[in-house]
Amino acid sequence: MSVDVSQYVLPNDTGICLLDCKLAFNNLTDKEKRYAHYISQAAWHGGLIVLVQTSPESPGIYLLLQKLFRAQPVASLQEKATACGLTEEDFKAFLIYAAAIYSNMGNYKSFGDTKIIPNFPKEKFQSLVKASAAYASDSAGIQKLWDSVGEVMYSLEKKLQQLGLGGNGITTYFSGNCDIPDAKLAQTFMDDKEISPYNTRLFKTCPADTGKPSYEIRLASGVNTAGKDIEGGEDVTKVLGDHEFQGTTFKVTRGDYSKLMKMVAENLQKAQEYAANENQVNMLGNYIKSFQCGSIPAHKNGSRYWIRDTTPIVETYIGFIESYRDPFGVRGEFEGFVAMVNKEMSTKFGALVAKATDLLPLLPWPADYEKDKFLRPDFTSLDVLTFAGSGIPAGINIPNYDDIRQDEGFKNVSLGNVLSAGYKDTKITFLSESDAELFKKWKLPSFEVQVGLHELLGHGSGKLFIKKEDGKLNFDPKKVKHTETGGEITSWYGAKETWDSKFCELASTYEECRAECVGIYLCGSEDVLRIFGHEGDTASDVMYVNWLNMVRAGLLGLEFYSPQTKTWRQAHMQGRYVILRVLLEAGGDLVTIKRTTGEDGKPDILISLDRSKIQSVGVPAIGKFLTKLQVYKSTADYTAGKKMYDCYSAVNDDSDPQFLSLRDVVLSRKQPRKMFVQCNTEIKDGTLSLKDYEASPAGLVQSFVDRFQGTTTDDILQELWDKDRVYF
């Protein structure tokens, strides 16, 4: 079967936006600016870890690009490219590819997990490399880099087309010889030893003399296994070394990404000097301890202080956070952000928080399935200064630690300048002309409402039923009944189990779907809409467009399904497709999907939503489905949850509207996701300033050249790359 190369390249007209934060940054005091600066430095240096977490070749591609661009300006490199036969479009394609590597921190899309290859011939790329100033000054070194990455950069071998485990794709969270059974065995071992997987990777070796596999679990830390421990790292030192478990040897080591982790910790130590209060000092102190010794309990303690640091002027979070890109769904990708509070929008989110205790009872599940006490969170709208990692979300609900979220609290943030810059459709597909007009007008306001509900009452709602170490249940088994069976509750989480460890690869998409359902279920509330300034016909339009956006997103989600492996590559988009399936199942022509012919004469799709039936058909259907999602989550019933979720996630042509065939039309009309250019901060002669860049591929490239000016990080990445290559 031939590969459709168009699905793996980014077009030359891919949108690039500046993440503007100048006004918010300039309003900070000098002390606040320095606090933001040093945490940004920590985030950017930690963000380089994502290259190592993405694919075996990502560090090498990044190094090649950095050396090319650091050696000469983009304009000069273009002159060399033209002289050796590249067209203007070829060079644009080169810059777009470079921008994509920087934006995604690797050669796989952060949103969709498919490979990104250059959209111009390999021979021309090689010619450009050899014509560069970098090659002229170090031909042997640059040639070696090209020889290491040039072939794999363009390869669309089946296993390399997407991220995945075993035969389903490529990953560097596991060595190349690992598969799902290895991941399950390792998870069982880590649960037994109470080792959090968030900051780990798994490497399997099979000695030729015995053929018996053994495993190394690497913890990320500044201190290596043989290094001197630091105070507070006892939870790590007690599990280091060799363990026999179920007839298999596990070796727990630390020091993964050690030199980068040290740089993160050093910058956080500098930031401590400019902290605004004791909560920030203690927060950073625990993060430093975590990153130095590899302790997730220390990071959890830092997160506790972070929760207590309410309404800060400069907001930040950093660590191994989201598990979307681990094929097994439990290991965290490094990310760090720094942002300034947008007071006007934060006021609206604050009003939503104040209303939360009135809104939670409106959710469809019984009160016994809700947290015993709603822990009122901080909810702010932020203008991002720095977001280091593989991608930038629109909103976040953190921390992801179940015990903290359930018993101590959490925070919500909406990233305002990300929403305003990146979430405007340049071309609206699959809608009627009248719907497209409404969509264009109200998408951003409706999305602000959805983000608020999704983060606060989606991720912030629902109780996990747990049997604690003392044998006591955190619910009354005589009182609480199962909503689907009517009987007693027969399953729950063990003291050592978490949502992620129990639901593993299903956890992320299942939870995103649940939060999205909460958003559309509650977005018709007049109280909610009034908080965001919408009343009357305007409120009705905002609610309608929010639902319309969801059903359209479900259709667009088909782009992120891989028929060859029958897997989904993006948690949110799978969740939105599931919601579309639920609404189609509701019947009553609430949602209709028709095949049409576009103005260009090519196959097209028209998706319609009957707004008169949202309350009578749509809301009850989502309520019923949402109850099941919550009940299976509360009761740790992975088997029932997976069976239901897999059913709605199926993509085939067994019945109308034949989604598998519709996928071809969706792919033919897909639009590339926008990339963001981020500002830099720098200190020169004691003065701290903000530097912004033009919203272009060249601007994005220059921001990374300025961000990492020396060769120190190059040498560290080279060392990490060389160390890992033997495993892939």
Side-chain angles (χ1 to χ4, degrees):
M1 184 176 179
S2 61
V3 178
D4 182 1
V5 176
S6 69
Q7 301 306 315
Y8 302 92
V9 298
L10 295 181
N12 286 355
D13 61 355
T14 298
I16 295 186
C17 310
L18 173 65
L19 209 51
D20 186 20
C21 62
K22 186 180 292 184
L23 180 62
F25 184 80
N26 287 340
N27 284 334
L28 299 179
T29 65
D30 185 67
K31 180 181 179 182
E32 290 162 350
K33 287 178 181 177
R34 291 174 188 272
Y35 180 73
H37 167 76
Y38 285 115
I39 299 182
S40 291
Q41 291 299 302
W44 284 122
H45 285 90
L48 295 174
I49 290 169
V50 180
L51 291 162
V52 185
Q53 292 181 305
T54 297
S55 72
E57 66 275 7
S58 285
I61 297 172
Y62 171 88
L63 287 171
L64 176 64
L65 293 172
Q66 281 292 84
K67 292 177 187 298
L68 291 177
F69 291 123
R70 198 182 286 136
Q72 66 192 122
V74 169
S76 172
L77 185 58
Q78 184 170 9
E79 290 176 4
K80 295 287 187 182
T82 302
C84 68
L86 273 73
T87 66
E88 185 177 350
E89 290 301 304
D90 289 334
F91 193 74
K92 283 182 182 177
F94 166 65
L95 288 182
I96 284 289
Y97 178 72
I101 298 300
Y102 290 134
S103 294
N104 294 276
M105 271 288 99
N107 62 332
Y108 286 78
K109 292 179 183 176
S110 63
F111 198 88
D113 291 350
T114 50
K115 190 171 186 177
I116 308 165
I117 67 169
N119 194 20
F120 69 112
K122 182 173 67 175
E123 295 73 24
K124 289 192 174 184
F125 200 143
Q126 185 173 15
S127 297
L128 183 153
V129 169
K130 291 188 173 183
S132 69
Y135 193 88
S137 64
D138 180 18
S139 58
I142 299 299
Q143 185 64 52
K144 185 178 180 181
L145 266 177
W146 174 257
D147 290 343
S148 297
V149 301
E151 195 68 35
V152 70
M153 189 189 295
Y154 280 85
S155 175
L156 288 176
E157 176 190 333
K158 184 180 178 181
K159 183 180 173 67
L160 304 182
Q161 290 174 15
Q162 67 182 55
L163 298 179
L165 184 57
N168 287 334
I170 190 75
T171 180
T172 47
Y173 286 106
F174 301 83
S175 56
N177 55 355
C178 285
D179 211 330
I180 290 294
D182 301 298
K184 289 182 177 179
L185 177 61
Q187 186 61 48
T188 304
F189 167 76
M190 287 189 287
D191 286 346
D192 183 73
K193 300 299 179 184
E194 297 185 40
I195 302 171
S196 169
Y198 270 114
N199 63 343
T200 69
R201 293 195 292 162
L202 182 69
F203 294 83
K204 180 170 77 170
T205 53
C206 297
D209 54 342
T210 65
K212 182 181 178 182
S214 61
Y215 298 92
E216 178 191 2
I217 294 174
R218 287 189 197 167
L219 280 64
S221 67
V223 177
N224 60 35
T225 297
K228 183 180 178 182
D229 198 17
I230 60 176
E231 185 180 351
E234 296 82 7
D235 60 283
V236 178
T237 54
K238 72 180 183 182
V239 296
L240 294 176
D242 293 338
H243 304 262
E244 288 299 317
F245 182 78
Q246 295 185 4
T248 303
T249 300
F250 280 87
K251 184 180 183 68
V252 181
T253 66
R254 64 178 170 186
D256 210 3
Y257 332 112
S258 62
K259 291 181 180 179
L260 290 176
M261 295 299 289
K262 286 178 183 176
M263 296 177 86
V264 174
E266 287 166 2
N267 278 291
L268 293 182
Q269 285 174 330
K270 293 176 182 177
Q272 266 187 315
E273 298 176 28
Y274 303 98
N277 53 56
E278 283 302 305
N279 279 325
Q280 290 182 1
V281 170
N282 291 325
M283 170 189 80
L284 293 176
N286 277 280
Y287 290 164
I288 291 164
K289 187 183 298 181
S290 171
F291 299 150
Q292 284 283 45
C293 67
S295 168
I296 291 298
H299 192 270
K300 290 174 74 171
N301 286 334
S303 298
R304 290 183 169 98
Y305 285 109
W306 178 71
I307 292 168
R308 296 169 198 163
D309 183 31
T310 57
T311 62
I313 302 299
V314 178
E315 183 61 283
T316 179
Y317 198 63
I318 190 168
F320 295 89
I321 311 300
E322 303 293 354
S323 57
Y324 299 126
R325 301 225 289 176
D326 169 18
F328 197 61
V330 296
R331 289 161 184 80
E333 184 176 78
F334 193 96
E335 69 178 44
F337 77 82
V338 181
M340 292 73 66
V341 172
N342 179 317
K343 292 182 179 179
E344 182 181 356
M345 182 55 73
S346 295
T347 299
K348 295 179 182 179
F349 288 132
L352 186 64
V353 172
K355 200 72 178 173
T357 52
D358 295 329
L359 295 171
L360 281 169
L362 301 179
L363 291 171
W365 51 77
D368 291 322
Y369 287 82
E370 195 46 70
K371 291 185 177 76
D372 299 334
K373 180 182 178 182
F374 179 70
L375 301 167
R376 180 171 173 160
D378 205 23
F379 197 162
T380 50
S381 177
L382 306 174
D383 285 341
V384 173
L385 166 65
T386 296
F387 205 112
S390 67
I392 308 178
I396 319 172
N397 176 287
I398 36 183
N400 287 332
Y401 305 119
D402 295 332
D403 52 343
I404 295 179
R405 289 161 66 94
Q406 178 144 308
D407 299 329
E408 300 176 54
F410 53 90
K411 278 188 185 181
N412 295 293
V413 297
S414 173
L415 305 182
N417 57 345
V418 175
L419 281 168
S420 60
Y423 283 78
K424 297 175 183 175
D425 289 83
T426 51
K427 185 178 181 182
I428 300 167
T429 53
F430 309 132
L431 298 181
S432 68
E433 188 174 337
S434 59
D435 274 347
E437 283 299 313
L438 276 175
F439 189 88
K440 185 176 182 180
K441 183 176 182 180
W442 296 114
K443 182 191 175 183
L444 189 54
S446 70
F447 198 54
E448 288 172 345
V449 174
Q450 179 68 11
V451 168
L453 293 171
H454 174 114
E455 301 297 346
L456 175 65
L457 300 175
H459 292 315
S461 65
K463 180 177 181 175
L464 301 183
F465 294 167
I466 301 170
K467 188 173 187 177
K468 299 180 181 180
E469 290 187 356
D470 60 7
K472 294 180 180 178
L473 295 166
N474 70 340
F475 67 98
D476 186 347
K478 296 179 180 178
K479 175 188 173 187
V480 181
K481 300 299 179 184
H482 197 291
T483 62
E484 305 309 303
T485 67
E488 295 182 354
I489 304 299
T490 57
S491 59
W492 44 76
Y493 296 86
K496 295 181 180 180
E497 292 178 321
T498 66
W499 161 247
D500 280 336
S501 70
K502 191 71 177 179
F503 278 68
C504 297
E505 80 292 343
L506 188 65
S508 291
T509 181
Y510 190 103
E511 175 61 11
E512 294 303 338
C513 182
R514 194 184 71 89
E516 290 285 52
C517 284
V518 169
I520 61 172
Y521 188 79
L522 292 177
C523 75
S525 162
E526 291 182 1
D527 289 339
V528 168
L529 292 165
R530 191 178 299 114
I531 286 169
F532 287 89
H534 309 305
E535 296 187 77
D537 291 342
T538 294
S540 177
D541 284 346
V542 167
M543 184 272 291
Y544 172 65
V545 168
N546 194 40
W547 276 72
L548 184 65
N549 187 28
M550 189 62 67
V551 297
R552 177 176 177 263
L555 183 64
L556 296 179
L558 291 168
E559 174 189 341
F560 302 92
Y561 175 76
S562 294
Q564 299 88 344
T565 57
K566 295 185 178 180
T567 57
W568 284 87
R569 309 186 311 273
Q570 214 294 316
H572 300 77
M573 298 309 284
Q574 180 181 357
R576 291 159 187 164
Y577 173 79
V578 165
I579 291 171
L580 173 59
R581 290 285 310 275
V582 170
L583 294 176
L584 284 167
E585 182 184 74
D589 289 333
L590 171 68
V591 176
T592 56
I593 299 175
K594 295 180 181 178
R595 294 173 182 267
T596 63
T597 301
E599 293 180 358
D600 57 4
K602 297 178 181 178
D604 208 340
I605 302 168
L606 176 65
I607 188 163
S608 302
L609 171 69
D610 188 338
R611 68 188 295 170
S612 71
K613 296 178 181 176
I614 291 175
Q615 293 296 338
S616 61
V617 179
V619 171
I622 291 297
K624 183 178 178 181
F625 177 63
L626 186 50
T627 299
K628 291 181 180 179
L629 287 173
Q630 182 57 49
V631 169
Y632 298 146
K633 179 182 180 181
S634 290
T635 59
D637 194 344
Y638 170 80
T639 302
K642 180 174 172 56
K643 181 180 179 181
M644 177 186 72
Y645 203 78
D646 284 353
C647 178
Y648 285 113
S649 296
V651 179
N652 53 54
D653 283 344
D654 293 350
S655 59
D656 287 334
Q658 298 184 321
F659 280 114
L660 189 58
S661 297
L662 287 180
R663 180 177 178 273
D664 294 334
V665 182
V666 171
L667 288 177
S668 71
R669 297 186 179 276
K670 73 170 186 174
Q671 297 177 65
R673 197 169 173 83
K674 291 182 176 69
M675 295 186 278
F676 294 101
V677 183
Q678 298 186 56
C679 298
N680 281 320
T681 53
E682 57 183 354
I683 299 176
K684 284 187 178 179
D685 300 324
T687 301
L688 192 151
S689 61
L690 182 76
K691 184 176 182 180
D692 59 13
Y693 301 85
E694 66 177 27
S696 69
L700 203 160
V701 164
Q702 190 60 46
S703 72
F704 269 85
V705 172
D706 291 349
R707 201 163 282 144
F708 301 103
Q709 293 182 5
T711 60
T712 302
T713 53
D714 288 7
D715 295 340
I716 293 171
L717 282 170
Q718 182 73 53
E719 183 181 315
L720 285 168
W721 186 33
D722 290 341
K723 180 182 178 181
D724 281 0
R725 273 191 279 186
V726 65
Y727 291 100
F728 301 101

